[in-house]
Amino acid sequence: MGATHSHTTAASCESSSNDGGGPSYEPDSKIPAAAASSVPPGPMPVLARPETFEEKLYRKFKAEPLVPIGCLTTAYFLGSGIKSFYNRDPIKSQSMMRLRVASQFATIMIFIGYAGMNAFTLDFAPGMAVPSEQGYSGKTSTGEREE
């Protein structure tokens, strides 16, 4: 029922390991060429050049134009609020800081909206075929509508 254990000592295992009684490990053994190249060689892949900062900036602005607009609006309200604080106009400074917070909130919500739009799809079961794509029109071969 239980596993049987060998009662040989480590010294006897070491002395009998290379006497030809079993397979031995040779670290310098070579793998045959036919077994090593089971995948046929194909054309070398073409590597794309790295995208520069300007190209990435243009691509991001084109994909999500409202985020940089929101950042610029926030920066404008921040600068205007700091300027009115410097000019000792507390009413305008307070309103500019409130507008800055609102602009910052709107920018973050836009950013989350873009991230959600890119992350989620309306597919109920991704990978499953829609019956209309398979040619199913809702009728059987006898002309009756199937439900």
Side-chain angles (χ1 to χ4, degrees):
M1 294 244 305
T4 60
H5 297 288
S6 173
H7 294 289
T8 59
T9 62
S12 65
C13 286
E14 289 175 5
S15 64
S16 65
S17 65
N18 290 330
D19 58 356
S24 63
Y25 173 72
E26 296 177 11
D28 293 332
S29 64
K30 301 288 182 187
I31 299 173
S37 64
S38 60
V39 178
M44 291 295 293
V46 177
L47 299 176
R49 67 175 179 80
E51 188 176 34
T52 64
F53 177 74
E54 291 83 14
E55 291 171 341
K56 184 175 184 178
L57 195 66
Y58 180 76
R59 180 177 53 88
K60 292 286 188 177
F61 279 11
K62 189 174 178 182
E64 301 170 354
L66 294 179
V67 173
I69 291 171
C71 290
L72 291 174
T73 306
T74 302
Y76 169 75
F77 287 135
L78 177 64
S80 181
I82 290 173
K83 181 182 175 195
S84 56
F85 180 76
Y86 179 74
N87 292 335
R88 298 183 184 266
D89 187 2
I91 296 170
K92 186 176 179 184
S93 174
Q94 184 71 352
S95 65
M96 287 297 133
M97 288 300 143
R98 287 181 180 163
L99 287 171
R100 176 196 59 87
V101 170
S103 172
Q104 211 167 359
F105 177 75
T107 303
I108 291 172
M109 289 298 114
I110 289 169
F111 183 76
I112 290 172
Y114 277 130
M117 187 172 60
N118 292 336
F120 298 114
T121 60
L122 296 177
D123 294 337
F124 293 110
M128 300 296 292
V130 179
S132 61
E133 292 175 357
Q134 295 178 343
Y136 177 74
S137 63
K139 296 182 180 179
T140 62
S141 60
T142 59
E144 297 173 353
R145 184 158 182 87
E146 183 177 296
E147 296 194 24

